[in-house]
Each structure stands twice: as C-alpha cells, then as structure tokens.
Amino acid sequence: MTTLPSNQPGVLPPHETYVAAEHFRDRDHEFDAVKMGVWLFLATEVLLFSGLFVYYALMRLLYPEAFIHGSSLLDWRWGLINTVVLLLSSYTVAAGVRCAQVGDARGLRRNIIFTFIAGVLFLIIKFVFEYYPKYIQGKLPGKFYSYPNWVSPYEQHWWGLYWGATGVHASHVVVGMGLFIWLYVRSLKGHFGPKHYNAVEGVGLYWHIVDIVWIFLFPMLYLIH
Amino acid sequence: MSHSADHADKRTIEIHSAGEADARGHHSHVIVSQRVLLAVLGLLLFFTLATVGAAQAEAWIAHTYNVVIPQWVNVFVALSIAAVKTIIVAAYFMQLRYDNPMNTCIAVFTVFVLAFFFGFTMIDLGTRHAIYEWKGREVVLGGSATVPENSRVNAAKKVEQLVKDGVTPPEFLCHFASEEIDRLKAKKAEIPEYLHAAVAMGEKKYGAHGHHGHDHGDAHAPSENTPNRSRAFTGLTIKELMDTPADGKHDGKDHKHAPAGGH
C-alpha cells in the first residue's frame, strides 16, 4: 500500500485538517452553501431534460401511433435491467455518502467502485444491446432513418427522441463516472471524512438526478402500449 | 461493511431537523441508517416492477377483453409511479428530509417551473386547431422549410403582384379573405363571423360573384395544415403599403374592376 497521508502515523489526514474557505463562517456554513449550489445546478439539469420531455409530450400527443409502434421496437427488458442497475447504483452512492459521514474510507471507496461498475454496466447494456442493433437496422434519428417497417411517417420523430433523450442521459452517466474516478483518487489521498465530505455529497446528488431522469425515461420510452 | 461501520450502525441516529443547532451553533449532519437506505431501495425496486406490471397488465387486458384503453391511462399510471419514486429518492437518498429546507424549496420550485413549461406549451400547441381549423395538428414531413401556400413569403409575392395590378392595401384583406372564403365554400363549410365583413366588402366592390376567378386555378389550398402556417400577413412592412392616401401617392387608377387574370 502506498504511503498516503491517511495512513501515516502521527499525521492527520487532510479531511481532519480541512479549513473552510475564508468567506464562510465555518465548515457547516460552507457545507450548506455547497449543497445549495449543487441543488441549483441540479435544477438546471432538470430543465435541460425537461426540454426533451416537453418535445416528447407534444410529439406523443400529435403522433401517438408513431410512438406506440416505435416503442414496440424497443426491448423493455433491457430498459428494466438498466433501471435496476441505476437504482442499485443510487443505493451504493447513498451508502458511500454514509460511509464518508461515519469515516469509513474503505467503505466509501468500495461503494464508489460499485457505483462505477453499475455505470459501466449501464453503458455496456445501452451500447451493445440497444444502440448497436438499432444502428445496423437503420432505426436512427431524423434523416438517417432507414428501417423499412414503419407504420407512421412520423417515426423519425420517435427515433429522434429516443436517441436524443437516451444519448443526453448516457453522456450524463459518462460524466458522472468521470466524477467518481475523481472522488476515488481524492479518497485515496484522505480528503474525505466525517467533517468534510462535500464533494462526495455533491457527486451523489448529481448521480441521483441522473437516476431520476432515467426513472422517467424508462416508462416514457419503453412502456408505451 | 467493515466493523467500524457496523458499530456506527448500532449507535443512536440523531434525527435532528436541519434547523437545530448545538450550543456552539453547529448543525450535526444526519446520517441516514443502512436500514432506511435498504428499505428505500426495496421500495424503488418494487415500484419499478409495479410500473412494468401495470404496463403489461394494460396490454394484456386490452388484448384479452378487446377493449381500447385510452392513452392517458398508460401515461397517468406510469408518471404517477415515477413521481412517487422520484419523491422517495429525493427525500431519502438525496437527504432532502434531513436537510436545509431551502434545498427542498429549490427542488419544488424546479417542479413548478416544469409545470409552467409543460402547461403553457401544451395549451398552445395542443389546441391550435380549436381556433382556426386549418392551423391543425399535423406537422409537415420535412419541416416548414417547404413554403406553404399562405406563408409570409408567398403572401409577399402576391401582395407585390396586387400592387402592380393597382389594388390598394385595404383590399388586400379582401383578397386574402376571399381565398379563405373560396376554400370554405369548396368544403361547403360555414363562413365564420369574422369573414362576413370581408364577404360584404367583396360583394360591394366586385359583385356577388366577384373576382374570385383568378384563384380557382390554384390547387394551392393547403392539403395539410400545420401549426407553422399562420394567417397570410398582408405586408405592412412592404414599402408600397406605407404610402397612405393622404400622401397623395394614390394613383388615379380605377379600383372598381377586378385585376384581370389575377394569379
């Protein structure tokens, strides 16, 4: 095991000696401010996805047959597996925050790894079992559409929505995974402990929003009958 | 989990509300217990299966009993279960329950903004056909880059032609209204109130069977109505139309007779 600040005898790990930034009264003030800042950012993320959702609502209102047929071409079982994977990852993130709160650095790192693996699994399922088959069958958005068995001439709208919504969501998952790598490295350096775990909390909140968006996307895309 | 975490599990959880502080004014951060987290996870998985089950059940009922279940039932059930899942994720996993109430306000405000976004958009786009029938619901494949008959571009061209023929601005309204009237007559539909004045003006100027001949050759009545087609704009920004009679730019042409040939 490499020599890290967290496991040198007599040296306090960084999370113990953390001092809040000057303009805050104390660590609690900084924690509250950071958390509120993250929530404000999450509000903008929700609004980002809501643009796609409004487009979905309108197009589904106008062309329901295109959506019903398009949804039947998706396999809801992969969607269900992805939903379960993301819910488990939400749990491991919350458990990781809890580990940081009680000072369990190993538990925190373990949960970060589990969450990262869940993200990888999500992306593998998405790209290998969903995106690639659709790509070779021509179920592509807009002008790239070339799948022959269409029911409504507006199915390009459906596929545009499918690829757009799940693509934006998947890019958020990728960003989240990068954040988890960052957290892991910082945890190795001993940055997180009961008195200082802002970043873990913040990334956890971001990951939960990603999960919540998928919670809405799953029935809206896969379960239209 | 490691031993230290197990011990931490068994100690008393401080269920402070966010507002409480100790003697030094420091708030303690609530640590959500493992049991609560696992219970929430269990609930989420249950609701996920419920969503899938409801969708499958709906499909099964529709097939077996040959009933048509309206779309909104599907949407309503799925969205309400998703809303419940979101609320428990936000309250427990994101710790809104144990947190500064301001964060809850921010989350609720976001939902409020969403409601505005959805509400007004759907009120507008979902009901365009209710006012003008021809502003119907279908969006033309290929988008509105295809210029429809009564688009602003074509209206400007027509206005240009009318100006060349010596028709003055107030009569443009009559001209475009007459197209609409012809279309309605072709469909044997009732002429709505707001066009009665145009009918009267047209009949006064050009007689009951007016100058509508020029447009019958057009097969330009829009076969598909789109929300993107608005009423032809009669060109107040076209230079010729800025001339008012008082400017003396009215020429002495005879406006009583219909422009021959029209379009």
Side-chain angles (χ1 to χ4, degrees):
Chain A
M1 177 86 151
T2 55
T3 308
L4 293 162
S6 52
N7 55 14
Q8 285 171 12
V11 175
L12 278 177
H15 64 83
E16 290 284 347
T17 57
Y18 179 76
V19 176
E22 254 183 54
H23 53 284
F24 295 112
R25 285 192 297 273
D26 50 26
R27 285 189 200 178
D28 285 328
H29 184 203
E30 186 184 49
F31 181 80
D32 278 344
V34 167
K35 200 159 186 191
M36 191 186 303
V38 173
W39 267 106
L40 288 171
F41 166 66
L42 295 184
T44 67
E45 287 287 289
V46 167
L47 290 177
L48 165 70
F49 282 100
S50 70
L52 287 166
F53 286 146
V54 166
Y55 180 55
Y56 169 93
L58 178 67
M59 288 294 131
R60 186 167 170 183
L61 181 70
L62 295 182
Y63 313 121
E65 61 286 336
F67 275 56
I68 293 172
H69 182 245
S71 178
S72 72
L73 295 173
L74 297 179
D75 194 350
W76 61 268
R77 291 166 302 186
W78 289 125
L80 179 64
I81 294 175
N82 270 345
T83 309
V84 169
V85 163
L86 275 187
L87 288 176
L88 287 172
S89 74
S90 252
Y91 166 75
T92 55
V93 155
V97 169
R98 198 187 159 281
C99 286
Q101 282 176 316
V102 300
D104 181 7
R106 284 226 179 82
L108 169 64
R109 286 196 285 274
R110 204 178 321 133
N111 280 309
I112 289 176
I113 289 180
F114 286 155
T115 315
F116 189 83
I117 289 174
V120 169
L121 201 58
F122 178 89
L123 290 174
I124 287 176
I125 291 173
K126 182 141 282 295
F127 278 91
V128 172
F129 296 108
E130 293 196 84
Y131 278 178
Y132 182 66
K134 293 187 177 64
Y135 169 71
I136 56 179
Q137 286 172 4
K139 297 170 184 167
L140 291 169
K143 73 169 194 185
F144 305 109
Y145 181 76
S146 60
Y147 186 65
N149 309 337
W150 50 267
V151 153
S152 152
Y154 299 100
E155 271 184 48
Q156 293 164 328
H157 288 291
W158 155 261
W159 287 114
L161 260 167
Y162 170 78
W163 283 93
T166 57
V168 171
H169 179 261
S171 55
H172 277 74
V173 170
V174 169
V175 166
M177 285 163 60
L179 289 171
F180 282 120
I181 294 175
W182 173 65
L183 281 185
Y184 188 83
V185 168
R186 282 191 67 183
S187 175
L188 282 177
K189 293 186 192 166
H191 283 197
F192 301 127
K195 294 188 202 151
H196 177 58
Y197 57 96
N198 285 347
V200 182
E201 181 93 56
V203 174
L205 287 174
Y206 171 82
W207 191 255
H208 287 127
I209 284 288
V210 167
D211 184 36
I212 285 174
V213 169
W214 182 259
I215 284 173
F216 275 98
L217 276 182
F218 171 56
M220 278 169 33
L221 293 177
Y222 292 82
L223 300 180
I224 309 176
H225 292 299
Chain B
M1 293 296 231
S2 67
H3 269 299
S4 60
D6 285 343
H7 290 314
D9 255 347
K10 294 187 176 78
R11 68 168 194 212
T12 318
I13 304 298
E14 303 155 321
I15 314 289
H16 287 213
S17 78
E20 283 187 33
D22 64 12
R24 281 159 52 207
H26 287 174
H27 301 188
S28 35
H29 298 148
V30 173
I31 301 177
V32 187
S33 75
Q34 280 286 27
R35 233 176 301 141
V36 169
L37 291 180
L38 282 167
V40 170
L41 175 65
L43 266 180
L44 287 171
L45 292 172
F46 166 74
F47 279 124
T48 308
L49 295 174
T51 317
V52 174
Q56 300 289 70
E58 192 192 323
W60 178 80
I61 289 175
H63 277 170
T64 316
Y65 298 107
N66 255 335
V67 286
V68 172
I69 300 179
Q71 275 284 298
W72 63 264
V73 173
N74 178 329
V75 171
F76 180 70
V77 169
L79 280 186
S80 46
I81 297 182
V84 169
K85 284 161 81 176
T86 304
I87 289 173
I88 56 178
V89 165
Y92 291 98
F93 279 173
M94 296 169 98
Q95 299 185 0
L96 274 183
R97 255 199 78 178
Y98 312 107
D99 211 7
N100 186 347
M102 185 61 178
N103 295 333
T104 309
C105 285
I106 294 173
V108 168
F109 175 73
T110 310
V111 172
F112 188 60
V113 170
L114 270 180
F116 261 97
F117 191 7
F118 268 90
F120 282 106
T121 309
M122 298 315 286
I123 287 175
D124 177 8
L125 291 170
T127 58
R128 287 221 173 155
H129 59 284
I131 309 294
Y132 295 106
E133 193 195 314
W134 47 268
K135 279 193 194 182
R137 304 195 312 170
E138 230 173 308
V139 174
V140 176
L141 201 63
S144 56
T146 52
V147 177
E149 167 60 17
N150 54 340
S151 74
R152 191 179 290 221
V153 171
N154 280 342
K157 287 197 194 127
K158 282 191 194 164
V159 165
E160 225 177 276
Q161 182 59 43
L162 286 173
V163 166
K164 280 198 203 127
D165 295 336
V167 180
T168 57
E171 291 164 1
F172 290 170
L173 289 172
C174 177
H175 173 83
F176 289 117
S178 72
E179 287 182 3
E180 175 76 354
I181 291 167
D182 287 346
R183 234 173 274 131
L184 288 168
K185 281 189 186 156
K187 284 197 315 187
K188 296 203 189 343
E190 222 183 84
I191 296 175
E193 276 245 11
Y194 63 87
L195 285 177
H196 286 172
V199 172
M201 190 158 74
E203 283 175 359
K204 193 170 74 152
K205 278 219 168 327
Y206 306 114
H209 298 293
H211 65 36
H212 310 303
H214 58 279
D215 262 318
H216 289 322
D218 284 358
H220 291 170
S223 54
E224 283 171 296
N225 296 310
T226 78
N228 289 319
R229 296 182 186 186
S230 55
R231 199 86 169 121
F233 187 60
T234 53
L236 286 174
T237 55
I238 296 179
K239 194 165 69 73
E240 288 83 345
L241 303 180
M242 299 315 281
D243 303 340
T244 59
D247 289 348
K249 301 235 175 89
H250 237 42
D251 54 320
K253 272 209 200 148
D254 182 3
H255 299 297
K256 285 225 175 82
H257 294 116
H263 304 281

